[in-house]
Amino acid sequence: MKKLLLIYLLIITTGSFYAQNMSKRAFLTGDFNFTFGINENYTLFNDDDESFLKFSAVMFRVGAGYQFNSKWLASFNVGYDHHTRYSINAIPTYGTLRYNIAVDDFDAFFAEASYGKMWRPSSKYENGDYYKLGLGVQMGGSGRWHTLLKLDFHRKKIIGFKNNTLDSVSLGIGFIFL
């Protein structure tokens, strides 16, 4: 009986110790990304008021996911992309796997990868695949809202588009609600 009580006490103590360190929870996320492309009309050392970078796309994303522990998060996302340079609109739906490289309370430096399907609301181009790789910083806020700053590389596989891909690098600002 004493051995059984000792084992039971050990299991309870170990379980409560790990329960305090576990950070399993569901979350909501959203962000705006802005893409700038190189201006083809820009000439070096010419004072014609042309800027080197030109706004080329805006992307809006929302998602829901689950945090497995302090390092790994997974989410399902949907978004809307508008590429002004090519007059392309897209609706990506994708899954994201995020790994927190460094964590301090609710602050984190992370890398993430995404893969999914990109839907086109017009018949100008075909539907395609969507890929994303990125780095970001999560800054803990008061309460459950936290700010995200991200640098992402997006690849949209569009059949019929030149080289069948549309690549972009974007800067994003968003939130995560844990």
Side-chain angles (χ1 to χ4, degrees), residues 38-108:
I38 296 173
N39 186 354
E40 292 94 9
N41 299 325
Y42 179 78
T43 53
L44 194 61
F45 306 116
N46 192 355
D47 193 20
D48 58 0
D49 293 332
E50 290 281 341
S51 63
F52 178 67
L53 294 177
K54 188 175 182 181
F55 174 77
S56 64
V58 63
M59 302 169 205
F60 172 71
R61 309 277 195 261
V62 293
Y66 190 75
Q67 181 173 351
F68 299 103
N69 55 38
S70 65
K71 294 285 189 182
W72 291 98
L73 294 86
S75 63
F76 177 76
N77 305 280
V78 65
Y80 174 75
D81 298 356
H82 177 67
H83 292 270
T84 58
R85 181 178 260 173
Y86 304 108
S87 297
I88 293 177
N89 295 312
I91 301 170
T93 56
Y94 58 94
T96 298
L97 186 60
R98 174 176 145 181
Y99 178 73
N100 290 332
I101 298 167
V103 180
D104 182 22
D105 289 330
F106 288 107
D107 296 337

